[in-house]
Amino acid sequence: MSDIGTDAKRTPKRRLLVRARNLRTPASETRCDEARDSATGPQIIVRDLHKSYRKARIEIPVLRGVDLCVEAGEFVSIIGSSGSGKSTLLHLLGMLDAPDQGEILFAGKRVDSLSTRQRDRMRNREIGLIFQFYHLLPELTVLENVLMPRMIGSSIWSYPLRRREYRERATHLLEKVGLGHRMNHKPRELSGGEMQRTAIARSLMVSPKLLLADEPTGNLDARNGTDIMRILRELNQTEKLTILMVTHDTEIAAQADSTIRLVEGRVHKSRNGS
Ligand code: ADP
Ligand code: MG
């Protein structure tokens, strides 16, 4: 129930209390302010999301009514204990899996009810994905790995026509993440930090609006982790990229604009540094 509708019935003192409470936990941080649910509103809206898995006839509820609001250009970290559903939430947002119940909207458009084919198309065009273990193809060079999303997403006729343009973009992205000198190397010749930087360049190949990262620093030492965070923050600021990043490191989480904490299948979102 919205506070606006019932405000008129309240005494001035009660109204002040309600306002003070809203200042501490703005309604838009977890539940979206419905007035903003237009094309100019938040980039991601999640309503009452549920997801369970079945293991040997036993149902394991993982997400039990997640409400969430993420603004365009926001950098959000997702934390929670192991098994709390962080990857599950990220997979649903990345349209890698479908929820049992609830809605996911991107820029005002429902995406949870799209067909598998439509979801694949949208994911390939609009979402960059980064994982803890990089998922690079070992037999391809760094440059070829970065070109991969274009190879997959183009037809056999259009790819050769645009190959030069794609190679220029891939080269530019690799230089941007500091790997201009590593383009012809194979993944096994790279350090963990370099492999993750390759994966970041690959995720940017199709110019996504949204980057979903599942523990991108989870397999790296502190220095390489800091490096990856610097690159993500820079992309967030210069490309206005919206980023949702799972991490179990609270220091890394605090570097984002806000943090989502998953507890018992629900989320609580709060602003960092305030
Ligand atoms: P987190 O990323 O927070 O560690 P996950 O989202 O990976 O947690 O998993 C949440 C829970 O769901 C865990 O108990 C996990 O075992 C279970 N789970 C995740 N994926 C599957 C699956 N495909 N089949 C069955 N159970 C799963
Ligand atoms: Mg996980």
Side-chain angles (χ1 to χ4, degrees), residues 39-82:
T40 55
Q43 186 177 0
I44 303 173
I45 297 173
V46 172
R47 292 194 192 114
D48 198 29
L49 207 64
H50 288 252
K51 181 75 184 174
S52 300
Y53 293 109
R54 277 190 169 279
K55 253 184 210 165
R57 292 230 221 114
I58 299 167
E59 187 159 300
I60 306 165
V62 180
L63 304 180
R64 311 181 201 191
V66 168
D67 291 301
L68 188 61
C69 192
V70 177
E71 303 287 339
E74 202 176 344
F75 190 165
V76 183
S77 56
I78 303 175
I79 59 170
S81 56
S82 179

Side-chain angles (χ1 to χ4, degrees), residues 52-55 60-63 79-91 97 214-215 246 262:
S52 300
Y53 293 109
R54 277 190 169 279
K55 253 184 210 165
I60 306 165
V62 180
L63 304 180
I79 59 170
S81 56
S82 179
S84 60
K86 304 180 296 296
S87 296
T88 302
L89 178 60
L90 216 67
H91 287 175
D97 203 353
D214 197 349
E215 308 227 23
V246 170
L262 254 162

Side-chain angles (χ1 to χ4, degrees), residues 212-231:
L212 300 176
D214 197 349
E215 308 227 23
T217 63
N219 200 36
L220 303 177
D221 60 27
R223 192 178 63 82
N224 279 298
T226 307
D227 246 21
I228 295 299
M229 279 307 286
R230 185 183 46 76
I231 290 169

Side-chain angles (χ1 to χ4, degrees), residues 1-273:
M1 176 66 74
S2 142
D3 282 330
I4 300 163
T6 52
D7 223 23
K9 292 180 205 140
R10 293 194 172 120
T11 63
K13 189 179 167 194
R14 174 96 180 100
R15 261 199 299 255
L16 271 177
L17 278 173
V18 167
R19 288 216 184 108
R21 192 194 68 204
N22 286 347
L23 273 178
R24 271 186 284 132
T25 53
S28 63
E29 292 213 90
T30 301
R31 264 180 195 281
C32 283
D33 183 348
E34 297 294 323
R36 297 174 58 103
D37 282 17
S38 66
T40 55
Q43 186 177 0
I44 303 173
I45 297 173
V46 172
R47 292 194 192 114
D48 198 29
L49 207 64
H50 288 252
K51 181 75 184 174
S52 300
Y53 293 109
R54 277 190 169 279
K55 253 184 210 165
R57 292 230 221 114
I58 299 167
E59 187 159 300
I60 306 165
V62 180
L63 304 180
R64 311 181 201 191
V66 168
D67 291 301
L68 188 61
C69 192
V70 177
E71 303 287 339
E74 202 176 344
F75 190 165
V76 183
S77 56
I78 303 175
I79 59 170
S81 56
S82 179
S84 60
K86 304 180 296 296
S87 296
T88 302
L89 178 60
L90 216 67
H91 287 175
L92 295 181
L93 293 174
M95 295 185 274
L96 294 163
D97 203 353
D100 299 332
Q101 188 188 316
E103 297 179 356
I104 303 173
L105 291 90
F106 287 167
K109 185 172 179 265
R110 278 285 292 271
V111 297
D112 56 275
S113 49
L114 296 176
S115 69
T116 313
R117 204 185 136 105
Q118 285 171 318
R119 275 196 268 155
D120 290 347
R121 244 173 107 85
M122 190 162 174
R123 183 184 328 104
N124 288 341
R125 290 178 179 185
E126 299 192 19
I127 302 177
L129 293 162
I130 308 171
F131 303 95
Q132 183 176 355
F133 295 107
Y134 331 119
H135 296 325
L136 300 176
L137 294 172
E139 64 276 19
L140 300 185
T141 65
V142 163
L143 181 67
E144 288 162 347
N145 265 287
V146 175
L147 282 167
M148 207 50 184
R150 282 300 186 190
M151 290 185 190
I152 293 169
S154 313
S155 70
I156 52 168
W157 296 283
S158 69
Y159 187 79
L161 295 174
R162 300 185 68 180
R163 189 157 71 192
R164 179 198 281 258
E165 175 198 334
Y166 292 154
R167 283 179 76 93
E168 276 170 13
R169 176 154 178 84
T171 305
H172 166 73
L173 290 170
L174 281 166
E175 282 165 356
K176 204 164 159 159
V177 297
L179 289 178
H181 60 304
R182 293 292 208 176
M183 288 195 287
N184 297 316
H185 286 244
K186 294 279 174 70
R188 65 171 176 274
E189 295 155 0
L190 305 182
S191 70
E194 287 170 335
M195 283 197 260
Q196 195 57 296
R197 284 190 269 151
T198 304
I200 292 176
R202 179 185 56 189
S203 76
L204 300 173
M205 193 58 205
V206 294
S207 310
K209 299 184 182 96
L210 172 66
L211 198 62
L212 300 176
D214 197 349
E215 308 227 23
T217 63
N219 200 36
L220 303 177
D221 60 27
R223 192 178 63 82
N224 279 298
T226 307
D227 246 21
I228 295 299
M229 279 307 286
R230 185 183 46 76
I231 290 169
L232 293 180
R233 176 50 93 184
E234 207 172 293
L235 288 168
N236 165 252
Q237 284 170 349
T238 57
E239 315 279 318
K240 307 277 175 266
L241 203 59
T242 308
I243 302 179
L244 269 80
M245 174 192 68
V246 170
T247 178
H248 59 258
D249 184 326
T250 47
E251 266 180 46
I252 285 190
Q255 293 175 41
D257 298 326
S258 46
T259 299
I260 292 169
R261 182 182 291 273
L262 254 162
V263 182
E264 292 177 355
R266 292 170 154 259
V267 300
H268 175 77
K269 187 175 173 204
S270 55
R271 288 235 129 231
N272 291 329

